[in-house]
Amino acid sequence: AAFGNGPTQSGPARQGQLGLSLAPLTGADRQQLNLPSGIQGAVIAHVQPNSAADTAGLRPGDVIVGVGSTTVTDPDQAVKAIQAAEKNGSKAVALRVMRGNQAIFVAIALPHGKNSKSG
C-alpha cells in the first residue's frame, strides 16, 4: 500500500504525525553537533511545537540512530521504521538518539490516526 506522499523529494524527510523533519547527517553536522566521527543517522532538522516529538523532549540537532531494534542511517530509513511501528499497532516507539556524544533513548507516543477521525 502506497502512502499518499508521491515520490520522495530530496530534502528533509518528514515524519508528519510525530512533528519531525529529518535531514541527512553530513560531516559538517557531525562537527557542529560534536558527534563521534563514526555516527550515522538522521538529524532532526525541525521539531513542531506541541507535537509528539516535542512532548517527548526531542530537539533539533538530535540524531536518530535507531528506531526500536532497527538501526537507521538516513532519514528515509528512520521514517520507514517509524511507519512500520505504527503499522504494527505499537502504542509508542523508542528512538535511539545521539545528543552530542551522549546516547539517549526517547519514547514517543504514536498517534493512531486510523482510529480517531474526529475533526
Side-chain angles (χ1 to χ4, degrees):
F3 283 81
N5 308 355
T8 319
Q9 297 119 356
S10 60
R14 291 185 107 49
Q15 197 3 293
Q17 290 194 291
L18 299 183
L20 284 179
S21 293
L22 302 176
L25 183 60
T26 64
D29 291 332
R30 274 193 203 99
Q31 285 182 321
Q32 196 182 345
L33 299 170
N34 207 11
L35 296 165
S37 58
I39 291 297
Q40 288 187 298
V43 66
I44 296 176
H46 179 73
V47 176
Q48 203 175 319
N50 304 319
S51 64
D54 186 33
T55 306
L58 289 170
R59 307 198 291 239
D62 289 350
V63 179
I64 299 173
V65 296
V67 176
S69 57
T70 308
T71 301
V72 299
T73 58
D74 64 42
D76 282 343
Q77 286 183 340
V79 170
K80 284 193 180 100
I82 292 167
Q83 287 173 342
E86 286 178 291
K87 273 203 199 110
N88 294 341
S90 303
K91 294 211 175 4
V93 63
L95 301 182
R96 264 180 307 165
V97 174
M98 288 297 294
R99 183 173 286 168
N101 56 10
Q102 201 178 11
I104 58 176
F105 278 89
V106 178
I108 299 189
L110 290 173
H112 285 289
K114 293 181 207 72
N115 310 347
S116 55
K117 280 265 177 295
S118 63

